[in-house]
Amino acid sequence: MERWRGRVALVTGASVGIGAAIARELVRLGMKVMGCARDVEKIQKLAAECQSAGFSGVLVPFKCDLTKEEEILSMFAAIKAQHQGVDVCINNAGLGHADHLLSGRTSSWRNMLDVNVLALTICTRETYQSMKERNVDDGHIIHLNSVCGHRVVAFPNLNFYTATKHAVTALTEGLRQELRLAKSHIRATSISPGLVVTDFPFRLFVNEPQKAEDLYNLYTPLAAQDVADAVTYVLSAPPHVQIGEVLIQPVEEFW
């Protein structure tokens, strides 16, 4: 990770869970981390904790609603003005709604598309343009995917969420191919965790918290730090190594 010390990483959805763990780890390793979320106060608190811990990097909070393209573009403009640009993009932000295909709300489907697919793609485009205009040819774009991006699990209320994660799988491979055609050495990776201890299940089953509790009683889930470790593993690979996909699951996971 030494070659990334002092360079700029963008982590979306950095206020809680996996995003917060990734942001903290990259700051610990000496990177300048731009952390964005709608709840910027949580990132400010995390930034203060990193500073108190004496980490060699820095966490810079950005308030950004990823469902609004104008806010994403404003954030990238601010990063350019203050820190030149983005060298590593971690598209971590994602959400799910427990809406079946046969009875779900269009607003829920649209929200998942906006965050899980469109925001990820816009951030990817803006990151690439930032790298290109600065002649950065060793950057890295990482998409936080899911095991749901590779199979359809037997949870009908996850079917639309699963479709958005299958899109992330296709977008990662499409990005790799476009970068290759552009003769770029920028790398693209998808990291697909199984069940992780975060607030995701509680947001998914917002009106049925017991369902979220039941998930965590099935087996020992991953910790957010496990996923952060996968990110640093990917970033630590030699420049000639393309890690296209990392599938990381609890040992006992059965889907």
Side-chain angles (χ1 to χ4, degrees):
M1 287 293 293
E2 187 60 31
R3 72 187 185 88
W4 294 112
R5 186 175 294 274
R7 298 184 69 179
V8 176
L10 170 65
V11 180
T12 66
S15 59
V16 294
I18 293 171
I22 293 170
R24 186 181 190 278
E25 186 65 9
L26 295 184
V27 172
R28 186 183 72 82
L29 293 169
M31 295 194 74
K32 297 177 183 176
V33 179
M34 311 294 115
C36 82
R38 288 179 298 178
D39 187 352
V40 75
E41 291 182 2
K42 290 183 178 178
I43 305 178
Q44 290 170 339
K45 181 179 179 182
L46 179 60
E49 291 172 359
C50 290
Q51 186 175 23
S52 296
F55 294 163
S56 56
V58 62
L59 176 57
V60 182
F62 278 92
K63 185 176 178 62
C64 182
D65 182 345
L66 292 169
T67 66
K68 299 176 180 177
E69 182 177 10
E70 63 273 17
E71 292 198 19
I72 298 175
L73 298 181
S74 293
M75 175 178 66
F76 272 89
I79 293 172
K80 178 180 179 180
Q82 299 171 26
H83 304 280
Q84 286 72 58
V86 175
D87 301 310
V88 172
C89 178
I90 315 285
N91 281 308
N92 163 76
L95 54 82
H97 297 291
D99 282 68
H100 292 243
L101 299 179
L102 299 180
S103 58
R105 297 163 294 175
T106 304
S107 59
S108 294
W109 298 337
R110 183 174 290 115
N111 190 215
M112 285 185 275
L113 276 176
D114 283 345
V115 176
N116 299 359
V117 179
L118 286 177
L120 173 146
T121 308
I122 294 167
C123 287
T124 295
R125 179 191 68 199
E126 296 305 308
T127 295
Y128 174 72
Q129 294 300 327
S130 171
M131 294 178 187
K132 185 178 178 182
E133 70 181 21
R134 293 176 295 124
N135 295 315
V136 171
D137 194 43
D138 65 342
H140 209 131
I141 298 170
I142 298 175
H143 298 332
L144 259 294
N145 198 345
S146 166
V147 293
C148 291
H150 304 274
R151 64 199 67 154
V152 179
V153 298
F155 288 94
N157 48 14
L158 282 179
N159 281 335
F160 197 90
Y161 170 80
T162 294
T164 67
K165 290 302 184 178
H166 272 67
V168 172
T169 301
L171 288 168
T172 307
E173 176 57 17
L175 175 61
R176 185 194 69 80
Q177 292 185 18
E178 287 196 27
L179 289 168
R180 181 179 58 81
L181 288 172
K183 302 189 184 305
S184 171
H185 293 95
I186 297 166
R187 291 178 289 179
T189 301
S190 162
I191 296 179
S192 298
L195 185 63
V196 185
V197 178
T198 68
D199 61 355
F200 178 86
F202 295 96
R203 292 184 179 183
L204 180 69
F205 301 114
V206 65
N207 296 317
E208 302 172 283
Q210 189 57 48
K211 284 190 175 182
E213 293 284 358
D214 291 344
L215 273 178
Y216 287 135
N217 290 327
L218 291 173
Y219 47 80
T220 304
L222 301 172
Q225 184 61 42
D226 296 324
V227 185
D229 290 343
V231 170
T232 57
Y233 163 72
V234 167
L235 290 174
S236 298
H240 70 285
V241 175
Q242 173 80 267
I243 301 174
E245 177 65 51
V246 176
L247 185 64
I248 172 174
Q249 294 178 264
V251 170
E252 300 168 275
E253 192 159 83
F254 51 84
W255 54 67

